[in-house]
């Protein structure tokens, strides 16, 4: 799934409106088509450049770099934090995870952001979008340094991630999963407006499955 495909429909709709009454004549010339393509590619490039970093009230969301290895290693090596994730990771596994997150942004134009606390100027976790285990569905995911738990920071970052998914990527639906005993994660899903759908099985474990549609997102945002 690529942002170019999602933006294409929006761009051509706008292009048609702007050129109403002259579409047939202009579409007959290669120059106009080339101009369309050039402008569209520029729009995509600008949007991607802007969205590489998002600012919320208390956080900066930016893409990961290898400079984040020490901070992310502290998070991934803490058994309390990783209890409901994939378990404790070594430094080498964490470095591999960073490479994977960078690669997924390059492939899909979405992925995990590094969360930087504005006041502390520290990388304190991750939040963003990824493909749900062996499916084409897009999943909201997050992990946070336990020093910053219970402050609403994951909810804040999740709202920003949903906004990116629905407004920039134009996704129709975003899902999220958690183990049934992970009540804190489920509360985040509920706070951002997701609804429980079913019990399911992903990543070789039983989970509860929440989701939100773009229509529901817009109804909440624009109330």
């Amino acid at each position: 799934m690529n942002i170019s495909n999602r933006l294409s429909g929006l761009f051509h709709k706008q292009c048609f409106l702007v050129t109403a009454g002259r579409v047939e004549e202009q579409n007959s010339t290669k120059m106009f088509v080339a101009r369309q393509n050039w402008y569209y590619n520029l729009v995509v490039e600008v949007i991607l450049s802007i969205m590489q970093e998002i600012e919320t009230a208390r956080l900066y969301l930016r893409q990961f770099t290898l400079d984040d290895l020490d901070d992310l290693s502290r998070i991934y090596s803490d058994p309390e934090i990783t209890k409901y994730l994939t378990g404790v990771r070594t430094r080498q596994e964490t470095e591999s995870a960073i490479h994977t997150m960078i690669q997924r942004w390059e492939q899909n134009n979405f992925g995990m952001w590094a969360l930087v606390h504005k006041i502390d100027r520290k990388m304190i976790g991750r939040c963003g979008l990824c493909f749900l285990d062996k499916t084409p569905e897009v999943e909201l995911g997050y992990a946070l340094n336990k020093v910053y738990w219970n402050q609403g920071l994951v909810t804040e970052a999740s709202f920003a991630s949903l906004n990116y998914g629905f407004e920039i990527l134009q996704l129709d639906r975003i899902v999220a999963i958690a183990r049934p005993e992970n009540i804190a994660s489920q509360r985040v899903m509920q706070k951002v407006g997701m609804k429980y759908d079913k019990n399911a099985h992903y990543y070789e474990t039983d989970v509860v499955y929440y989701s939100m549609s773009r229509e529901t997102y817009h109804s909440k945002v624009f109330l």
Side-chain angles (χ1 to χ4, degrees), residues 41-59:
N41 290 334
L42 178 62
V43 168
V44 171
E45 183 178 343
V46 169
I47 289 176
L48 288 176
S49 176
I50 293 171
M51 297 309 295
Q52 286 191 10
E53 182 172 299
I54 295 176
E55 181 177 354
T56 68
R58 294 175 291 172
L59 298 169

Side-chain angles (χ1 to χ4, degrees), residues 202-222:
Y202 293 104
Y203 304 108
E204 301 182 355
T205 190
D206 292 331
V207 298
V208 290
Y209 176 106
Y210 283 69
S211 70
M212 174 184 275
S213 68
R214 186 167 62 200
E215 182 180 3
T216 299
Y217 172 79
H218 283 159
S219 71
K220 293 180 180 296
V221 170
F222 297 116

